[in-house]
Amino acid sequence: MSAVVSTVTKRRSSLLSIVRGSPVMGPLAALILACIFFSFKTDRFLTGANLSLILQQVMVVGTLAIGQTLVILTSGIDLSNGSVMALGGVVMTSLAVDHGLNPVLAILLGILVCILFGVMNGALVTGIRLPAFIVTLGTLNIAYALTRIYTTETISGLPSLLLFFGNTFKIGTTQITYGSVLMLVLYAITWFVLRSTPAGRSVYAVGDNPEAARLAGINTTRVLIGVYTTAALTYGIAALLLVARTGVGDPQAGQTSNLESITAVVLGGTSLFGGRGTIIGTLIGALIVGVFRNGLQLMGVESIYQVLITGILVIAAVSIDQLSHRK
Amino acid sequence: MSNAPGSVLLEMKGIGKTFPGVKALQGVNLSVRAGQVHALLGENGAGKSTLIKILSGAYSKDEGQIFFEGKPVEIKSPQDAQALGISTIYQEFNLAPHLTIAENIFLGHLPKKGGLVDWATAKARAAEILSGLGVDLSVDATTATLSVAQQQIVEIAKALNRKTRVLIMDEPSAVLSEKDLENLFRVVRTLQKEGIGIIYISHRLKEIFELADEVTVLKDGRYVDTRAVADVTMDDLVRLMIGRDLQDVYPKRTAEPGAVLFEAKNVARSKLVHDVSFQVHAGEIIGFAGITGSGRTELMRTIFGADPYSGDMQIDGKPYKPRSPQDAIKHGVALVTEDRKGQGLLLKLPVFTNTTISGLKRLTRGGIINLRAELELVKTMIRQLSIKTPSPQFMVVNMSGGNQQKVILARWLSVGTRIFIMDEPTRGIDVGSKSEIYQIMADLTKQGVGIIMISSELPEVLGMSDRIMVMREGTIVKELARAEASEERIMYYAVGSESA
Amino acid sequence: MSLKRIALLALVVVLLAACGGAKTEAPAAAPETAAPAASDQIIVGLITKTETNPFFVKMKEGAQAEADKLGVKLLTGAGAKDGDNEGQVTALENMINAGAKGILITPSDTKAIVPSIEKARAQGVVVIALDTATDPQEAVDALFATDNFKAGLLIGQWAKSAMGDKAPVIATLDLQPGITVGAQRHNGFLQGFGVISGADPNSSDLVNADVVVCSQDTHGDQTEGQTAMENCLSKNPDINLVYTINEPAAFGAYTALKNAGKEKDVLIVSVDGGCKGVQGVVDGQIAATSQQYPLKMAELGVKAIVDYIKGGAKPSGYTDTGVTLITDMAQAGVDGQNSAYGVANCWGTK
């Protein structure tokens, strides 16, 4: 993955060429600078507890962003992920609470619902060759409506198994959420798959040029359906993490998650035109958003400024990407 | 025009340009006289585009001086170039497809009268320019409806409307058919008579002899020489460009055809291809000649499983029914596409991904790619095909056409291809790389690979093929053995009796 | 290549770990304990549903003024939009981490926020709900809010009297399903109007009556309110009384009625009493509205938390921050004030 797309040049004369050297460097530099800034501004920022909290706060959007990265790498986009996650979360909680189903089965069925949406997205994108934007705009509304038809009630009183990933364990004196660890593990797996498996290579190839990929012997239909389905699996896992984090099944959840996950992907240096980007970048992108939100709040800055800064960061990230690829 | 014919319009002296880590140009001289066609010649990567980008204001020079009518000038932006009357026509046209010819010619500076656009004047002036070029086109036609050749004329008209003194044409012939070419030459000569200085870039040596007065040769970013065209031969130019003789371009090989490798029987594809039957033997190169639209590319795509077809095909005497490119690749069939950038390469991915993308199975154990073995394979390929790249991680979009084509060849070589279909394998590639690719083809035949080559360059067809299939209107109209073929005979069958 | 990636990954991990190490140097700052913050500065958090709604802007003004007066630090946060529970959870966690000992919150999702509030209270943080009760109400230490059922009741009673003998044909422009405030106002209105009785004042389910010919969700939004009213009119053009969840929805309804040439024949009643909303009563667009006092809620909330931290009593139970019927068409037997009073007191401005 990242190794695949990095253009290793020996040009180190300017900031831009450093960014060009590795697509992760720019976002990483931004993250480190933000961390340094906030640790000077507030003594509560650079504590294990707070950093663990940031990780916990990005675990839902961070997990959604894994799927979003896969989709964007194929030059698609997935607007439906937040709604699909909300549906999955409501399904798994209501099955467990209202229908008394075995929690493990309830979780699996919730994730399965998400996966079905992924298959549907993939089938529409490849079968009828509709633009991903349109398809997922449609499934966004379908999932949203189904959630509301299914229940308007927030589901609480969950069995402990559904809350497991919200629990913590201690490293030293720092409490770490199991969910954050799961998210990091998912990133590691995705990183490996993109870098070291034929499927991962195919994702980049299809994103770069679908016709060239087909003529190179790649089954582009299978790759795309696989990508949308795998992405939906991450949405299902994100649903489980959301449920564990908030302790309820919330039919109103995830309404802005699609844009938040796209923000993380873009901040991480992945091109919306497909074929170029890294999963580690996305993790960094998600952390950047989390660090700013947390740091500004600790400083007592109003949350509307977090939105403002996120907007500026997105434009800055894309501009740097554009400039660094201009000759 | 006020210039006396022959006076020097533009002069560049000692031009140098450095990109981070690369010296792109060094000590380059170029001077263009009014009413002169000055050819700029060099292999891909010789620095031609960098030089014209400096002239057109897209890049700024690091060293040297530019004089316009004897006075030193600085060209820092495209606006500066335009103010001096320097216009460039790139291979990719810069036209608004949904606007009319008149609107395009006046794009950005339509004549105004009382605050409103003066359409009457605009159209009259546009029509005047077009008729001055001896072209019969309605100024109200939408640009998108025009042929490539006609669009090129509109670009030229646009340049003339901006009071152009020096016109740079970047490979104008690359996109044109033989017939359109003559029209282009006529237009260029008209411009010449009006005292415009023309810098003409082309790979086709023949054109240079037909059109140019002087020729400047660049090699590896350095100035080699400027000669009067009347004083040089084609061999001289090739030697200046690559330091080698022309007759060495095509490798000497004797065909030793083996068993029948591939056979097509009555292959057809909707309306584009019908009744095609032919055989390819091991170790043989079959050349496919024909004009654009004769169905050659479409036929090859069906053989490669990229499009649906009817009819029978066999490999080694066994039925071959490709339903997808994957099927074809499994059977040892490979297609080097005509459109290298659009259909062949993964442009923004690195050399190694492009090389191994079709053969990852061979490098995968338990679902995981052996990255070390992959890198070794790619490095071997880079060495064997002498691909010029800083590293296996280099993005192919930044490579020259010849090296890009070698990457594609490396891809297919690494999957053990036995039937190689090459659609215009040397299009847009400089002479040096061309001969390297010919050598690769020759080596392949020695290993028993069968090659099907489509080419629109007749010398290439004649120089490389053992047998030549001429296609017209979707089918093979004539098979010629190498010995009996000539450019005239091929053209006779390619265009049909009405033109012969 | 791969080595470089691994190095990068390692860097991220090391960064996090290094920061984790830093934590041990400042164990006193651990948020899990209820010990006072490193500095003696008292920190109070205010979490609203959104940043932009004027109601919450007013609430923030009240909280800030009170915090300044008492010399404490106020942190503010909000969800990305109405209904964004996770955004509120995040703000809550961050504020606790910043050392806030008391949090004021207007829950976007009355049920969904409960587990997070419980976690906060388990860490010794006092939580007060403003404006909107949690479900269950006992999930917080105290509730400072308008009696929304009463707010609905008032406009219901007023409308009953104002309509006189005219047969009512009612449209209700509601909030959205599952939200207690919306149901309380709606049910209160119908009970005040006398078409239902004995409604549960804390239910989050809408009760309906035959005279209500059209019910639409508006999310309290003016544009959606207009669309909803247009739809209701095409369903039944004889509508003569419109209940709206808040004044933006009321203005939307008025625009739709005006476009249909019916604005003179229809009474619009609403809840909120915002400055712009009361202006609608002055201008005759809204017949009557129940005015509430967000500024007061916030003021009281901040004070209660500061008092507690300084050693006073822990806030508890429900405090009604009051509601007043504002109308220029006073009806005998229904207490209310005129629009001049409403403008002077809009949302608690002095």
Side-chain angles (χ1 to χ4, degrees):
Chain A
M1 46 128 270
S2 45
V4 178
V5 288
S6 75
T7 62
V8 175
T9 56
K10 297 285 176 243
R11 306 168 191 171
R12 291 288 145 112
S13 50
S14 70
L15 181 67
L16 280 185
S17 57
I18 289 172
V19 172
R20 195 181 323 193
S22 167
V24 183
M25 292 312 286
L28 188 63
L31 178 63
I32 292 171
L33 286 177
C35 283
I36 292 171
F37 174 77
F38 286 120
S39 52
F40 277 109
K41 278 291 179 185
T42 156
D43 54 2
R44 284 180 176 272
F45 179 80
L46 208 63
T47 63
N50 192 51
L51 295 176
S52 166
L53 179 64
I54 293 173
L55 213 51
Q56 178 192 330
Q57 289 176 343
V58 302
M59 74 187 185
V60 175
V61 167
T63 304
L64 285 176
I66 294 175
Q68 188 70 265
T69 306
L70 296 178
V71 172
I72 289 179
L73 280 177
T74 65
S75 76
I77 196 142
D78 195 340
L79 300 178
S80 72
N81 58 4
S83 302
V84 169
M85 169 182 73
L87 179 61
V90 163
V91 167
M92 63 178 74
T93 48
S94 90
L95 285 179
V97 174
D98 302 339
H99 303 276
L101 209 66
N102 175 311
V104 174
L105 205 57
I107 291 170
L108 291 178
L109 286 172
I111 293 176
L112 182 69
V113 168
C114 295
I115 288 177
L116 290 178
F117 266 88
V119 173
M120 180 153 81
N121 281 338
L124 289 168
V125 166
T126 56
I128 315 185
R129 290 174 189 261
L130 298 175
F133 186 93
I134 305 294
V135 169
T136 58
L137 186 64
T139 47
L140 160 105
N141 285 299
I142 293 170
Y144 177 79
L146 286 181
T147 308
R148 293 311 183 83
I149 292 165
Y150 191 69
T151 179
T152 57
E153 282 280 319
T154 300
I155 299 146
S156 52
L158 307 181
S160 60
L161 203 71
L162 276 160
L163 301 175
F164 172 78
F165 285 109
N167 298 343
T168 56
F169 64 96
K170 281 200 174 187
I171 292 182
T173 51
T174 302
Q175 297 201 327
I176 296 178
T177 322
Y178 286 109
S180 333
V181 176
L182 176 62
M183 176 189 76
L184 292 178
V185 168
L186 290 176
Y187 269 96
I189 293 172
T190 312
W191 173 76
F192 183 78
V193 168
L194 284 178
R195 169 178 169 271
S196 293
T197 69
R201 294 291 174 82
S202 304
V203 170
Y204 282 100
V206 170
D208 186 274
N209 182 340
E211 180 63 6
R214 188 174 84 94
L215 293 176
I218 290 171
N219 186 336
T220 50
T221 305
R222 207 165 64 194
V223 170
L224 284 173
I225 291 182
V227 160
Y228 281 91
T229 308
T230 311
L233 170 66
T234 70
Y235 308 155
I237 297 171
L240 178 61
L241 293 178
L242 178 74
V243 165
R245 171 163 149 70
T246 57
V248 290
D250 180 7
Q252 295 204 66
Q255 290 181 35
T256 52
S257 302
N258 50 5
L259 298 182
E260 286 162 17
S261 63
I262 293 168
T263 303
V265 174
V266 170
L267 283 180
T270 293
S271 161
L272 284 178
F273 300 110
R276 220 154 36 77
T278 67
I279 195 71
I280 301 302
T282 299
L283 176 61
I284 294 171
L287 287 174
I288 289 174
V289 175
V291 161
F292 270 93
R293 188 170 51 192
N294 173 274
L296 290 172
Q297 201 128 52
L298 291 185
M299 283 171 63
V301 177
E302 286 184 39
S303 56
I304 196 72
Y305 289 98
Q306 301 160 23
V307 181
L308 179 73
I309 287 176
T310 308
I312 293 169
L313 285 175
V314 165
I315 290 175
V318 179
S319 307
I320 289 170
D321 182 58
Q322 277 294 316
L323 292 174
S324 68
H325 285 91
R326 217 168 274 170
K327 275 195 179 175
Chain B
M1 295 285 151
S2 57
N3 292 296
S7 73
V8 173
L9 262 182
L10 177 83
E11 188 164 17
M12 302 176 90
K13 270 190 186 163
I15 301 295
K17 172 78 187 170
T18 308
F19 291 115
V22 184
K23 196 126 191 135
L25 286 180
Q26 208 177 344
V28 173
N29 305 323
L30 180 70
S31 82
V32 185
R33 293 162 185 274
Q36 183 196 43
V37 177
H38 194 114
L40 189 56
L41 194 61
E43 294 186 276
N44 281 346
K48 301 182 307 265
S49 351
T50 310
L51 190 67
I52 64 166
K53 279 184 179 159
I54 288 172
L55 257 186
S56 61
Y59 291 162
S60 56
K61 62 180 165 52
D62 297 337
E63 295 160 23
Q65 285 174 298
I66 303 176
F67 300 90
F68 199 84
E69 295 188 312
K71 290 181 221 70
V73 291
E74 285 296 328
I75 303 176
K76 291 214 160 74
S77 69
Q79 287 75 27
D80 290 348
Q82 226 183 74
L84 290 171
I86 300 172
S87 297
T88 308
I89 299 174
Y90 291 102
Q91 288 180 50
E92 277 94 28
F93 300 144
N94 197 10
L95 297 172
H98 300 295
L99 299 184
T100 64
I101 292 181
E103 284 168 320
N104 265 297
I105 290 176
F106 279 92
L107 202 63
H109 43 93
L110 281 160
K112 302 255 171 69
K113 200 153 98 189
L116 295 172
V117 172
D118 184 357
W119 285 114
T121 306
K123 286 184 186 176
R125 173 84 185 116
E128 193 188 323
I129 295 170
L130 288 176
S131 73
L133 290 173
V135 190
D136 184 26
L137 276 175
S138 160
V139 294
D140 291 321
T142 310
T143 317
T145 63
L146 303 179
S147 73
V148 172
Q150 288 168 329
Q151 291 184 20
Q152 193 173 53
I153 299 293
V154 176
E155 278 279 9
I156 294 172
K158 213 168 116 183
L160 289 181
N161 190 40
R162 288 192 301 238
K163 309 266 180 298
T164 292
R165 311 280 307 278
V166 174
L167 182 65
I168 304 165
M169 304 178 87
D170 188 6
E171 295 204 42
S173 60
V175 292
L176 298 183
S177 69
E178 203 71 32
K179 188 166 162 271
D180 294 328
L181 207 56
E182 277 167 34
N183 198 34
L184 174 72
F185 289 174
R186 201 176 45 69
V187 169
V188 170
R189 288 193 188 104
T190 312
L191 299 176
Q192 202 177 353
K193 276 187 205 115
E194 299 206 10
I196 293 174
I198 294 158
I199 300 174
Y200 190 97
I201 297 172
S202 177
H203 276 126
R204 301 187 189 175
L205 296 178
K206 239 174 89 183
E207 284 171 22
I208 289 168
F209 283 96
E210 205 161 320
L211 204 58
D213 306 309
E214 266 190 330
V215 53
T216 291
V217 180
L218 302 184
K219 180 169 162 46
D220 298 332
R222 288 162 192 272
Y223 173 80
V224 178
D225 205 358
T226 299
R227 301 273 188 95
V229 170
D231 299 343
V232 288
T233 64
M234 218 177 261
D235 287 351
D236 294 339
L237 287 183
V238 171
R239 217 174 298 113
L240 288 174
M241 263 165 74
I242 61 171
R244 197 165 357 143
D245 283 329
L246 189 58
Q247 46 268 44
D248 297 339
V249 168
Y250 300 109
K252 290 185 179 64
R253 52 179 279 276
T254 43
E256 290 161 14
V260 176
L261 199 54
F262 172 84
E263 181 164 16
K265 283 181 193 158
N266 305 316
V267 169
R269 177 191 158 189
S270 58
K271 288 173 186 158
L272 302 168
V273 176
H274 57 91
D275 284 332
V276 171
S277 304
F278 69 99
Q279 289 182 336
V280 181
H281 296 260
E284 197 179 31
I285 298 178
I286 309 286
F288 270 75
I291 57 170
T292 311
S294 59
R296 294 174 299 168
T297 296
E298 290 77 8
L299 170 65
M300 297 316 160
R301 285 177 58 95
T302 67
I303 298 175
F304 189 58
D307 296 312
Y309 70 97
S310 65
D312 291 318
M313 289 191 262
Q314 289 184 345
I315 290 177
D316 295 333
K318 293 188 202 95
Y320 165 63
K321 297 180 166 47
R323 277 191 306 274
S324 68
Q326 281 133 283
D327 273 354
I329 294 165
K330 259 180 232 155
H331 284 88
V333 180
L335 173 67
V336 177
T337 56
E338 172 187 21
D339 180 0
R340 191 161 54 236
K341 289 182 181 174
Q343 302 188 333
L345 292 163
L346 305 165
L347 277 175
K348 297 213 166 152
L349 296 181
V351 172
F352 78 88
T353 308
N354 271 284
T355 305
T356 59
I357 191 72
S358 300
L360 286 174
K361 244 182 212 152
R362 292 157 179 260
L363 297 162
T364 304
R365 292 280 172 281
I368 296 164
I369 303 169
N370 183 340
L371 297 179
R372 194 171 299 168
E374 180 185 26
L375 196 61
E376 275 314 307
L377 170 69
V378 174
K379 281 182 176 164
T380 309
M381 283 294 168
I382 289 174
R383 227 175 13 247
Q384 276 184 5
L385 303 188
S386 40
I387 298 171
K388 278 184 208 123
T389 174
S391 81
Q393 283 76 29
F394 198 66
M395 250 196 252
V396 293
V397 70
N398 297 324
M399 300 171 76
S400 72
N403 281 304
Q404 288 180 340
Q405 191 71 315
K406 285 191 211 164
V407 169
I408 298 267
L409 292 178
R411 175 192 298 174
W412 295 127
L413 289 176
S414 66
V415 297
T417 297
R418 298 174 60 218
I419 300 160
F420 236 120
I421 308 169
M422 301 182 179
D423 195 350
E424 305 286 1
T426 65
R427 173 167 289 182
I429 289 175
D430 54 81
V431 183
S433 301
K434 262 186 188 179
S435 91
E436 287 181 82
I437 286 171
Y438 296 144
Q439 190 56 52
I440 294 168
M441 291 168 73
D443 293 346
L444 282 172
T445 57
K446 273 182 212 145
Q447 296 160 27
V449 171
I451 297 177
I452 304 170
M453 177 187 75
I454 294 183
S455 175
S456 296
E457 285 186 41
L458 293 179
E460 179 172 278
V461 173
L462 292 167
M464 290 302 295
S465 314
D466 300 319
R467 286 184 293 144
I468 295 158
M469 306 287 168
V470 185
M471 278 187 80
R472 189 175 80 229
E473 290 163 13
T475 196
I476 295 173
V477 290
K478 182 71 185 173
E479 177 181 338
L480 295 164
R482 186 186 206 166
E484 55 179 340
S486 67
E487 293 198 22
E488 290 71 25
R489 286 199 73 180
I490 292 173
M491 279 318 286
Y492 173 82
Y493 291 109
V495 297
S497 47
E498 68 269 30
S499 307
Chain C
M1 220 25 46
S2 57
L3 239 149
K4 196 168 151 197
R5 298 306 118 183
I6 290 164
L8 270 181
L9 246 183
L11 191 61
V12 176
V13 173
V14 165
L15 197 76
L16 286 168
C19 299
K23 194 252 170 196
T24 50
E25 292 153 30
E32 305 92 73
T33 63
S39 59
D40 281 340
Q41 172 88 326
I42 294 174
I43 301 174
V44 178
L46 170 66
I47 301 169
T48 50
K49 292 184 192 177
T50 68
E51 283 281 349
T52 45
N53 185 324
F55 185 86
F56 299 121
V57 172
K58 198 51 109 180
M59 194 176 258
K60 223 154 75 181
E61 278 173 31
Q64 192 63 57
E66 188 68 13
D68 292 347
K69 200 173 109 189
L70 299 174
V72 300
K73 187 175 173 191
L74 180 77
L75 299 177
T76 62
K81 57 182 283 196
D82 207 339
D84 175 17
N85 181 56
E86 212 211 333
Q88 290 200 323
V89 171
T90 301
L92 188 70
E93 291 167 340
N94 284 339
M95 285 176 183
I96 295 169
N97 224 13
K101 288 292 162 282
I103 305 269
L104 304 167
I105 183 167
T106 57
S108 245
D109 188 323
T110 53
K111 236 182 191 179
I113 195 71
V114 169
S116 304
I117 291 178
E118 281 168 352
K119 273 188 210 162
R121 292 180 66 195
Q123 293 177 36
V125 175
V126 56
V127 181
I128 297 177
L130 298 185
D131 171 61
T132 309
T134 49
D135 180 11
Q137 198 177 313
E138 300 72 44
V140 286
D141 290 290
L143 167 66
F144 289 14
T146 306
D147 182 344
N148 279 299
F149 191 79
K150 187 179 167 198
L153 205 70
L154 280 175
I155 51 173
Q157 287 166 346
W158 178 90
K160 180 72 185 169
S161 172
M163 291 287 283
D165 299 335
K166 224 197 272 179
V169 184
I170 302 176
T172 65
L173 304 190
D174 297 305
L175 189 61
Q176 71 193 75
I179 305 299
T180 319
V181 182
Q184 285 173 323
R185 291 181 187 176
H186 173 105
N187 296 347
F189 166 75
L190 291 182
Q191 182 146 326
F193 198 78
V195 289
I196 61 169
S197 61
D200 173 6
N202 292 318
S203 165
S204 59
D205 292 324
L206 300 183
V207 182
N208 262 326
D210 291 343
V211 290
V212 179
V213 295
C214 182
S215 288
Q216 297 258 312
D217 290 342
T218 64
H219 303 96
D221 177 79
Q222 179 156 352
T223 312
E224 287 191 55
Q226 182 177 341
T227 310
M229 192 66 233
E230 287 159 358
N231 291 341
C232 281
L233 281 176
S234 63
K235 193 172 167 193
N236 189 329
D238 300 327
I239 289 166
N240 54 19
L241 175 58
V242 180
Y243 152 84
T244 55
I245 179 68
N246 64 2
E247 284 132 10
F251 288 127
Y254 179 81
T255 309
L257 287 165
K258 195 173 172 201
N259 291 345
K262 290 174 184 282
E263 79 272 19
K264 297 272 182 283
D265 316 327
V266 181
L267 287 181
I268 301 176
V269 294
S270 193
V271 176
D272 238 7
C275 301
K276 192 164 173 262
V278 177
Q279 192 58 42
V281 178
V282 174
D283 298 341
Q285 297 171 349
I286 298 171
T289 190
S290 286
Q291 185 168 55
Q292 51 177 344
Y293 302 99
L295 198 119
K296 197 168 154 193
M297 292 173 201
E299 220 174 68
L300 292 172
V302 171
K303 189 164 182 317
I305 288 174
V306 174
D307 283 350
Y308 167 62
I309 295 170
K310 288 184 172 164
K314 195 169 193 179
S316 67
Y318 166 55
T319 305
D320 185 352
T321 51
V323 57
T324 310
L325 180 75
I326 304 294
T327 179
D328 285 336
M329 295 182 271
Q331 298 295 325
V334 187
D335 288 340
Q337 297 282 354
N338 64 11
S339 59
Y341 175 92
V343 170
N345 291 284
C346 63
W347 277 350
T349 19
K350 283 142 200 165

